Amino acid sequence: MRDDILRESFGGLVAFVAVAREKSFTRAAAHLGLSQSAVSHAVRALETKLGARLLARNSRTVSPTEAGERLLQSVAPQLEEIDAEMSALSALRDSPMGTIRITASDHAIRSVLAARLKKFLPKYPGIQVELFADNGLVDLAAERFDAGVRLGEIVAQDMIALRIGPDIRFAVVATKGYFARHPLPGTPDDLMQHNCINLRLPTHGGLWAWEFEKDGRQMNVRVNGQLTYNSIYDCLDAAMAGLGVAYVPEDMAQPYIRTGHLVSVLEDWCPYWSGYHLYYPSRRQPSGAMSLLIAALRYEPQSSPAREGS
């Protein structure tokens, strides 16, 4: 059957199956949400195209003819399959699906993303999230990422940025045993005399300069030491082992500072920075899955607690 005939006949087939099953034009019309005359016209047009009478009508009932019964048995199951598939596609629309690829620092993944995803993913089983731990600046388009997570200060201006976490500051820490062997630093410059644990950034292969600020004066100090890692968690572990001084997010070090295992120094030189932001290209319209994740990650600050040292 040619495509044009099939297209014109589809409505007639639906009408015919409904009438044959309901054994009534009136009930079939109500089932289809059409007028009785529209259903009758569709069936007559189908009979004309096929050159065969499909329904036997009398004053009390309507029933398929032999040709109609044959058509009913062959067509009705296929129409049911089409209806089921359409329902399934509609369900997909209501239940977003897809994979979202995000590049983020290891600290952002553990301190912010993990807790939010624990609540988000069970609600949307059709959504998959791939997280790639990376401390460098990544070209989202070139690396096929949907979004990235970085501190607010380093998000490119041509990106849409959404705050997903509170302000953050770093802490300079080492063990009591280490500081028993070395004098406490009074200024960031004093760190040049210490065995500091460096973090290497993948972007350009450079070592991260420790950033300080006090009374409007900013200092970036490139420290020296025997150890260099590419994970901030390894830097903390090395400091815990007494191997030197580390510069890590305060929330990571705070539990060990409270127990006395680590000592925090230069606190008056450690400012708060704008917290983690989710960023993605401004020219790209977020998918349904991405829009839901954006809403779930949005940071809603509670009451503003006083910052230590402020």
Side-chain angles (χ1 to χ4, degrees), residues 250-261:
E250 188 177 47
D251 65 286
M252 288 173 53
Q254 195 59 49
Y256 308 105
I257 295 173
R258 283 197 296 266
T259 61
H261 194 92

Side-chain angles (χ1 to χ4, degrees), residues 171-174 179 184-185 191 212 245 263-270:
V172 180
V173 295
F179 282 130
L184 294 175
L191 292 171
F212 300 98
V245 182
V263 176
S264 177
V265 297
L266 299 175
E267 292 183 352
D268 55 339
W269 280 93
C270 296

Side-chain angles (χ1 to χ4, degrees), residues 4 13 38 43 87 100 180 226 229:
D4 57 340
L13 288 170
V43 172
S87 297
I100 302 171
Q226 294 177 281
Y229 293 99

Side-chain angles (χ1 to χ4, degrees), residues 11 15 37 46 65 75-76 79 86 116 137 150 156 242 261 263 275 298 305:
S37 62
L46 179 63
T65 63
V75 170
L79 291 179
M86 295 293 286
R116 306 285 180 82
L137 298 178
R150 296 293 183 269
H261 194 92
V263 176
R298 184 183 299 276

Side-chain angles (χ1 to χ4, degrees), residues 15 20 23 25 55 65 68 77 88 90 95 110 129 203 211 213 215 227 246 269 283 292 296 302:
K23 299 187 182 303
F25 279 89
L55 294 169
T65 63
S90 178
S95 301
R110 297 195 195 185
V129 178
T203 306
E211 302 175 67
E213 182 179 319
D215 299 331
L227 278 172
W269 280 93
R283 63 183 179 275
L292 287 170
Q302 307 299 317

Side-chain angles (χ1 to χ4, degrees), residues 15 17-20 22-34 39:
V17 170
V19 173
E22 298 290 342
K23 299 187 182 303
S24 165
F25 279 89
T26 301
R27 290 194 295 272
H31 176 75
L32 296 173
L34 300 172
V39 173

Side-chain angles (χ1 to χ4, degrees), residues 169-192:
R169 76 169 180 170
F170 283 71
V172 180
V173 295
T175 60
K176 287 183 177 180
Y178 174 87
F179 282 130
R181 302 188 304 272
H182 302 84
L184 294 175
T187 69
D189 286 332
D190 294 339
L191 292 171
M192 300 303 295

